[in-house]
Amino acid sequence: MAYDGELVKMENGRWARFQRCQVYRPGVADAGETMLLIAVELEERYQLLLDGAADSLAQYRYQGVPVQVRLDPDAQAITLQPEVAASVPAVH
């Protein structure tokens, strides 16, 4: 399941970000309360940034460094940060 703001690479190789959108239908009183989560394709400059980041991620992961990329909420920058490892229960 996707979340609001999640970046995805679609089957066509293009990048998109999931965005919550309200659904409006004329004549339906509660239509504005209906929300959908849709993938919105990003502009070309972000396609290039994310392709570069994906290549960098592949290199980090090839070297055994777990990192993830995030597109800042204002969509002005990309941030690479360490992945949070799932905690493994201690064995006694």
Side-chain angles (χ1 to χ4, degrees):
M1 172 157 262
Y3 59 89
D4 193 22
E6 180 178 0
L7 293 171
V8 293
K9 191 163 191 177
M10 300 182 294
E11 286 185 19
N12 65 1
R14 304 282 292 171
W15 291 92
R17 182 188 332 198
F18 278 96
Q19 181 176 329
R20 188 179 315 269
C21 298
Q22 285 186 325
V23 176
Y24 293 99
R25 292 182 294 170
V28 178
D30 67 347
E33 297 175 12
T34 304
M35 300 294 287
L36 291 178
L37 194 59
I38 61 169
V40 178
E41 189 172 303
L42 300 174
E43 296 176 21
E44 192 60 32
R45 64 184 171 142
Y46 298 119
Q47 299 292 332
L48 298 173
L49 283 171
L50 288 167
D51 284 340
D55 292 342
S56 293
L57 281 174
Q59 287 300 317
Y60 278 118
R61 289 181 175 154
Y62 178 76
Q63 297 172 19
V65 180
V67 292
Q68 62 182 353
V69 65
R70 287 195 158 303
L71 185 61
D72 291 340
D74 62 1
Q76 298 301 313
I78 293 175
T79 304
L80 291 174
Q81 61 189 30
E83 286 183 350
V84 179
S87 41
V88 178
V91 177
H92 296 282

